Amino acid sequence: MEIIFGSGRVLKAVGSASAIACSVTLYHRSLRSFLTDKAKQGPVSSLLYFTCNLLLIFPRLAALALFAYAQPCYIFAHFLCCWAVLFFLAWRCGTDFMDSSAGEWLYRATVGLIWYFSWFNVSAGRSVYRGVLYHAWMLLDLLLLCGLALWQTHKAPYVTGGVLSPDTVAVMGGVVVAVYASGLLVKVLYYQRFHPKLGDTKKPLQLAATGDFTDGGEEEDRGLGDTEVDSMEPPPVEMLTGGGEEEVGRVKRPVNRRMKHLAQNFYS
């Protein structure tokens, strides 16, 4: 609690949220390398995506901190209840990421944990309705967390130690909701104007025999495709070249199957 509301420590909290948003942005940028039929994500697109994540993640952390300040005994119960809803949503999305049923349920449980802080798409198809449902739930949860924190400081200020007055909690709650709403607006702008989608094809990256990625011309790209593998280990040479003499010295591009699946879901 003191980390968020202590004197001079707000910037540290913003810095932590910025680090998380930066990690999310870099992760999703890295997914582009697993898809060939996509547009490149430029610096403006990445900056806007980072901004919307920062504006969505920081209010979430601040709301949880406010609730933990006012209701420290119930923060774990809130996590379990919210995670159960998100786990149900992941199940309803019909994920098919793992090879076994047990692994798939574990994956959905992990998705629910990640969704507790940040959204990403986990199944093929248009994700707009899932995203709207998720952010509506998050916004409702933010209002609930801030409202309970305000109610508790009015009802029993001695329980919270009097560090924050009810008026201060009310102002902070309003700022949290307003920042989250602005993050949603930035996210809408990002997806409307700057999000690279499947089918916006540029010259696909190819992996030459030297192991370097190139964006060569049509004569270099003709006849080459992706070879899906289950790990980042290089597949056998005959699997890469297709076995033809005309393919000697040139290889198909190895693509991790699971990472390609994640990338297709994110860019759908």
Side-chain angles (χ1 to χ4, degrees):
M1 210 54 264
E2 294 178 357
I3 293 177
I4 297 292
F5 302 122
S7 175
R9 295 177 179 175
V10 174
L11 289 179
K12 293 182 180 180
V14 174
S16 298
S18 299
I20 298 174
C22 184
S23 298
V24 173
T25 302
L26 292 176
Y27 168 73
H28 285 306
R29 272 186 64 88
S30 71
L31 290 179
R32 295 182 304 113
S33 63
F34 296 95
L35 294 175
T36 57
D37 52 347
K38 67 189 182 318
K40 292 183 177 180
Q41 190 171 18
V44 176
S45 174
S46 297
L47 179 61
L48 200 63
Y49 186 72
F50 164 79
T51 301
C52 76
N53 275 284
L54 177 62
L55 294 176
L56 294 174
I57 292 174
F58 180 72
R60 178 66 173 167
L61 297 177
L64 290 171
L66 270 176
F67 182 73
Y69 162 78
Q71 302 275 4
C73 298
Y74 295 99
I75 186 66
F76 187 67
H78 169 268
F79 166 77
L80 285 180
C81 293
C82 191
W83 172 83
V85 172
L86 297 173
F87 174 70
F88 175 78
L89 179 59
W91 169 61
R92 293 299 300 167
C93 283
T95 63
D96 58 349
F97 185 70
M98 305 299 288
D99 296 327
S100 65
S101 177
E104 194 64 38
W105 284 109
L106 179 60
Y107 171 69
R108 292 165 181 168
T110 305
V111 168
L113 177 62
I114 298 173
W115 279 353
Y116 188 71
F117 299 100
S118 180
W119 161 259
F120 73 104
N121 193 37
V122 295
S123 58
R126 290 181 59 83
S127 60
V128 58
Y129 300 113
R130 302 169 193 151
V132 169
L133 178 62
Y134 170 83
H135 287 296
W137 169 259
M138 285 293 106
L139 189 58
L140 179 63
D141 192 52
L142 284 182
L143 292 171
L144 178 65
L145 292 172
C146 295
L148 288 175
L150 179 60
W151 173 74
Q152 181 64 32
T153 52
H154 272 289
K155 176 186 175 183
Y158 59 85
V159 175
T160 60
V163 177
L164 297 176
S165 66
D167 291 340
T168 302
V169 173
V171 171
M172 294 181 68
V175 171
V176 163
V177 175
V179 171
Y180 193 86
S182 66
L184 291 178
L185 293 177
V186 174
K187 191 166 188 175
V188 170
L189 175 63
Y190 166 78
Y191 277 100
Q192 287 288 334
R193 300 294 184 181
F194 298 95
H195 182 62
K197 298 179 176 63
L198 292 175
D200 298 336
T201 307
K202 303 296 183 183
K203 290 181 180 179
L205 293 174
Q206 298 293 342
L207 185 62
T210 58
D212 297 327
F213 286 103
T214 66
D215 61 356
E218 290 184 16
E219 67 280 359
E220 292 182 289
D221 298 337
R222 189 180 299 113
L224 293 179
D226 291 341
T227 298
E228 293 189 2
V229 295
D230 288 329
S231 69
M232 296 312 295
E233 295 293 330
V237 174
E238 61 272 13
M239 184 177 176
L240 293 174
T241 62
E245 292 184 3
E246 67 279 2
E247 296 290 344
V248 174
R250 302 171 65 203
V251 299
K252 294 182 179 180
R253 180 185 174 185
V255 175
N256 183 275
R257 179 174 59 86
R258 296 193 187 282
M259 292 303 297
K260 184 176 181 180
H261 192 179
L262 283 175
Q264 288 172 334
N265 290 337
F266 174 69
Y267 284 102
S268 61

